[in-house]
Amino acid sequence: MKFMGQVPIKLENYFPSPLKALCRRLAMCYCVFCVFSNLHLSLLYMKTTLDMLESGELEEITDALTMAIIFSFSTFATCYWLIRSQTLLKFISKVNREYRHHSLAGLTFVSAKQSIRLAHKVSLYWLISCTVGVVSWALAPLLLGSHTLPLKCWYPFDPLKPGLYTFIYATQVWCQFLMGCIFGNGSALFVSVVVIMLGQFDVLYCSLKNVTHHAQLLTGEDLNILRKIQQELPKSQDDELNQYALLIEHPTNLKELSVSKMTHNANLGQALHDSLVECVHIHQFILQSCDTLEMLYNPYCLVKSLQITLQLCLLAFVGVAGERSAMRAINLVQYLMLTLSELLMFTYCGEMLSSHSIRAGEAFWRSQWWINGHLYKNDILMFLVNTRRMVKLTAGKFYLMDVQRLRSVITQAFSFLTLLQKLAEKNQ
């Protein structure tokens, strides 16, 4: 996001103090340059669309309008994250600082490493897919050996002149690369945070499942007794399915567990209270992080939903009614698949986060709470009441980002597509 101008680069960290003010100005100038790179093509395509309105060629109008929408959203995304960059950096810093690497010590444990690895893979593969999709479009004229530009838009001069062609071509390639990465950044960041939060929910579930045994470890329980209980636990293939969203539960190696390093608390009731309080802290961290994610993304998702709806409609119409060529068909399919994939990522991740946010109570019931429940029953009741709060990721507070939203966006897009096809038939 720093390379795409969405977050200012901290150049002052690499130069002496007298040059810090200059470095900040240079960083902001680069961000402005990235904004202008997207904005100028957005304006050129708007002018192209207005000129096409007079010709009456609906296919050309929709083609130009599609690119105008794409570059307009790219400009919006760059400006939006640039304005919210400080909030975003504080949020990411908090997540990196406070997330739990693993669950509380008990008979079993889960490690958050798997969710971090998955978030990294999703981000990497998605950004590669977005980059390949736009670069293949940009390189199409070179692959076909034609003296044309990848983006056909209005210019106040002849862009195919020998002195200007190379410069304009390089500018369009840079803008398309920038646009592809900007599209990928917003959804990759969203999915990465959701995947990490799902991993934290799994850490919470496993900690709740081991509340009693963690308290026994705190009070210096005999490890031989705990080993015997551990041996009686169901095997992984026989255990309850879908307890966790992403992580895998492993048995704790009690032979190598050093109980002497733990704080022995002679009062089992206090130890149970302390164990549940730690689970409450994990739960509060997750809810606060999800609230910040919602605050950051609900305006972005509102504009993104509108952009995806229009883009799906126009891409489908251009693909059906536009000119027939192999390279163009491949590029249109790439853009269409990337758009659908991005919509699926936002809605599916929102659905997963909402559904798993209210399962903390289920996880607690898996612990042996009935054995010593009378020692901390008030804590249990307060915790269970708070676990009923569902995490909701919305689009501008109007719509939930869930699977239902996926269906409605696709329905709206193809309703507009039907309308455009009828207009095209009428014009013919």
Side-chain angles (χ1 to χ4, degrees):
M1 295 181 78
K2 289 179 178 179
F3 183 69
M4 296 301 115
Q6 295 175 292
V7 176
I9 303 173
K10 299 289 184 181
L11 292 176
E12 59 269 22
N13 295 338
Y14 307 100
F15 292 92
S17 299
L19 298 175
K20 284 187 176 181
L22 177 62
C23 291
R24 292 193 192 98
R25 291 192 182 95
L26 288 175
M28 287 307 300
C29 287
Y30 178 72
C31 294
V32 172
F33 168 71
C34 292
V35 171
F36 180 76
S37 297
N38 291 289
L39 180 61
H40 93 277
L41 274 177
S42 173
L43 295 175
L44 290 176
Y45 267 111
M46 289 179 185
K47 169 63 175 172
T48 305
T49 305
L50 292 174
D51 291 344
M52 292 296 178
L53 289 175
E54 300 177 359
S55 66
E57 295 292 335
L58 193 57
E59 295 83 0
E60 295 179 350
I61 296 172
T62 52
D63 199 351
L65 184 58
T66 301
M67 300 308 296
I69 291 172
I70 290 174
F71 281 102
S72 296
F73 179 81
S74 184
T75 305
F76 161 78
T78 307
C79 294
Y80 179 80
W81 291 118
L82 191 58
I83 295 170
R84 308 297 294 272
S85 60
Q86 292 302 317
T87 306
L88 176 62
L89 290 174
K90 289 178 182 177
F91 170 58
I92 294 176
S93 176
K94 180 182 178 181
V95 172
N96 287 334
R97 184 176 63 252
E98 298 184 14
Y99 89 100
R100 269 60 172 185
H101 297 267
H102 50 76
S103 58
L104 297 181
L107 301 185
T108 59
F109 74 96
V110 295
S111 171
K113 186 183 296 184
Q114 185 177 352
S115 64
I116 303 295
R117 191 179 295 121
L118 178 60
H120 178 262
K121 287 182 179 179
V122 170
S123 300
L124 181 63
Y125 294 151
W126 174 244
L127 286 171
I128 290 175
S129 301
C130 292
T131 305
V132 169
V134 296
V135 169
S136 61
W137 187 299
L139 298 180
L142 290 179
L143 297 175
L144 297 174
S146 61
H147 187 72
T148 58
L149 292 171
L151 301 176
K152 299 176 181 178
C153 58
W154 174 87
Y155 280 95
F157 49 82
D158 185 6
L160 300 181
K161 287 183 177 180
L164 291 174
Y165 177 72
T166 304
F167 174 75
I168 298 298
Y169 196 108
T171 301
Q172 290 193 357
V173 170
W174 159 251
C175 292
Q176 282 192 283
F177 173 75
L178 193 68
M179 176 266 293
C181 292
I182 288 170
F183 268 72
N185 284 342
S187 44
L189 175 63
F190 181 84
V191 174
S192 296
V193 175
V194 170
V195 168
I196 291 170
M197 289 302 110
L198 288 173
Q200 291 299 286
F201 270 120
D202 288 350
V203 168
L204 172 64
Y205 299 160
C206 190
S207 298
L208 289 168
K209 187 177 179 180
N210 285 281
V211 162
T212 302
H213 305 305
H214 182 72
Q216 290 173 337
L217 287 171
L218 290 178
T219 55
E221 181 71 48
D222 187 359
L223 288 183
N224 291 324
I225 297 176
L226 294 178
R227 289 193 194 103
K228 184 177 180 181
I229 298 174
Q230 188 184 54
Q231 291 173 357
E232 296 174 355
L233 293 176
K235 304 295 182 183
S236 56
Q237 61 270 21
D238 301 326
D239 203 359
E240 181 184 346
L241 294 176
N242 300 321
Q243 291 186 44
Y244 305 106
L246 299 174
L247 306 184
I248 299 175
E249 188 178 24
H250 304 281
T252 304
N253 190 347
L254 295 175
K255 294 180 180 180
E256 297 182 2
L257 186 66
S258 178
V259 184
S260 60
K261 294 182 181 179
M262 295 187 178
T263 303
H264 286 195
N265 193 326
N267 187 346
L268 180 60
Q270 184 62 38
L272 289 166
H273 172 78
D274 293 342
S275 301
L276 192 58
V277 165
E278 179 58 26
C279 293
V280 170
H281 289 161
I282 300 174
H283 193 223
Q284 287 178 338
F285 160 69
I286 298 171
L287 293 181
Q288 290 170 1
S289 299
C290 291
D291 286 344
T292 307
L293 181 67
E294 153 69 9
M295 182 267 293
L296 280 170
Y297 264 94
N298 79 78
Y300 183 89
C301 287
L302 180 63
V303 181
K304 169 62 71 173
S305 297
L306 177 62
Q307 175 255 324
I308 286 180
T309 303
L310 296 174
Q311 191 171 319
L312 279 177
C313 166
L314 295 173
L315 283 173
F317 180 78
V318 171
V320 172
E323 62 183 75
R324 299 290 188 270
S325 67
M327 185 59 70
R328 180 177 175 79
I330 292 172
N331 290 333
L332 285 172
V333 169
Q334 286 177 336
Y335 270 48
L336 187 61
M337 294 306 298
L338 288 173
T339 305
L340 285 170
S341 300
E342 188 175 29
L343 176 62
L344 178 62
M345 289 164 64
F346 274 97
T347 53
Y348 181 73
C349 287
E351 179 78 26
M352 286 285 289
L353 200 59
S354 296
S355 61
H356 281 275
S357 63
I358 55 174
R359 297 186 59 197
E362 299 176 17
F364 180 77
W365 297 130
R366 298 187 187 103
S367 67
Q368 296 182 353
W369 60 273
W370 60 88
I371 298 176
N372 301 297
H374 61 285
L375 298 177
Y376 63 128
K377 60 181 179 181
N378 291 333
D379 298 329
I380 293 174
L381 292 174
M382 291 177 63
F383 176 74
L384 292 178
V385 169
N386 289 320
T387 58
R388 301 309 301 170
R389 178 188 167 188
M390 178 185 289
V391 171
K392 296 180 181 180
L393 300 179
T394 66
K397 304 293 185 181
F398 292 108
Y399 313 103
L400 287 177
M401 295 302 290
D402 53 12
V403 177
Q404 179 67 22
R405 184 62 186 156
L406 171 68
R407 185 191 67 82
S408 62
V409 168
I410 293 177
T411 302
Q412 291 168 5
F414 283 92
S415 297
F416 293 150
L417 173 62
T418 304
L419 177 62
L420 285 177
Q421 287 178 328
K422 289 182 178 179
L423 285 174
E425 293 174 359
K426 184 178 179 180
N427 288 340
Q428 289 175 359

